[in-house]
Amino acid sequence: MSNPTKKDDDSQKPSEADLSSQTNRRWRNHLFELLVVVLVFIGLSQWLNRHLLQDGTHIPNLTLPTLQGNHSSLNWPAAHDKTLIYFFAPWCSVCRLSMPGLNTLPDNPNIRIIAIALDYEQTADVSRFIDDIGFNQEVLLGNPDIRQRFNITGYPSYYVLDREGKVIHQDRGMSTPPGLWLRTQI
């Protein structure tokens, strides 16, 4: 038989202060988890980029073949305020996902977008890849010397250069069109 004067702990409702305290604790936990994710992302990004050229590195003039068999040059000072150079390999699945996003960047006469193919066996492999993903920007054919000159150790990798050919941003891995656009605006 139960004691009528003794309150059952399970039947007590939490007070507003208890609920507020639990809500605050939950928010603090979520914020802490978000902070950990952001710090891990930043650390991973820094680790992936450790071999890329540093800000301020000057890129020399260069001329490379195009898919059409012509040649295209990068000369400094450039006609554009910024140049985005996107390095890819036709076998790269991340490139297959992220590269079409370059087509969605707003048309801006002050930004030149160039994709440079590396680590391919035949030009036909690059052409097939470009056709498959519907890429409609300028594509150049790189070589092992270009890969070494730009310190490319993984794909995709990209650089944003200023009018004088100096690196102002570099990154490696998946990037979204808004992320690439933002990097060209800074």
Side-chain angles (χ1 to χ4, degrees):
M1 185 155 63
S2 67
N3 183 349
T5 58
K6 185 177 179 186
K7 292 186 178 176
D8 187 3
D9 289 336
D10 292 336
S11 67
Q12 288 183 346
K13 291 185 179 179
S15 70
E16 285 186 39
D18 290 340
L19 288 176
S20 178
S21 175
Q22 288 174 353
T23 301
N24 286 340
R25 195 172 316 120
R26 233 179 284 141
W27 275 107
R28 279 194 309 267
N29 287 341
H30 290 310
L31 287 174
F32 177 75
E33 291 168 356
L34 179 62
L35 178 63
V36 168
V37 168
V38 167
L39 289 175
V40 166
F41 178 78
I42 290 170
L44 181 61
S45 180
Q46 292 297 317
W47 184 79
L48 285 173
N49 296 338
R50 70 191 182 283
H51 297 299
L52 292 176
L53 300 175
Q54 298 301 306
D55 287 356
T57 302
H58 185 267
I59 303 302
N61 294 344
L62 61 102
T63 300
L64 292 172
T66 66
L67 275 177
Q68 294 75 27
N70 302 319
H71 285 84
S72 185
S73 296
L74 286 166
N75 295 313
W76 317 111
H80 305 84
D81 290 337
K82 305 230 174 105
T83 302
L84 171 64
I85 304 176
Y86 186 95
F87 293 93
F88 73 98
W91 47 261
C92 170
S93 58
V94 175
C95 300
R96 183 172 291 279
L97 291 172
S98 69
M99 202 167 164
L102 294 172
N103 291 335
T104 66
L105 292 177
D107 285 335
N108 185 336
N110 294 318
I111 300 172
R112 181 180 181 190
I113 299 172
I114 302 169
I116 299 180
L118 296 172
D119 287 341
Y120 58 91
E121 291 184 22
Q122 299 176 6
T123 303
D125 298 335
V126 178
S127 290
R128 194 170 25 263
F129 175 83
I130 293 301
D131 290 343
D132 286 350
I133 64 169
F135 187 70
N136 60 19
Q137 305 284 344
E138 187 175 4
V139 178
L140 305 180
L141 301 172
N143 54 49
D145 179 58
I146 294 298
R147 183 175 186 225
Q148 184 176 5
R149 191 182 304 181
F150 282 89
N151 292 347
I152 305 301
T153 59
Y155 303 103
S157 294
Y158 64 89
Y159 290 97
V160 178
L161 310 175
D162 68 9
R163 183 181 294 273
E164 302 304 316
K166 290 183 182 172
V167 174
I168 56 175
H169 188 80
Q170 66 285 80
D171 210 347
R172 181 175 133 191
M174 182 74 174
S175 188
T176 63
L180 287 170
W181 177 83
L182 183 62
R183 289 175 179 99
T184 62
Q185 302 306 305
I186 297 173

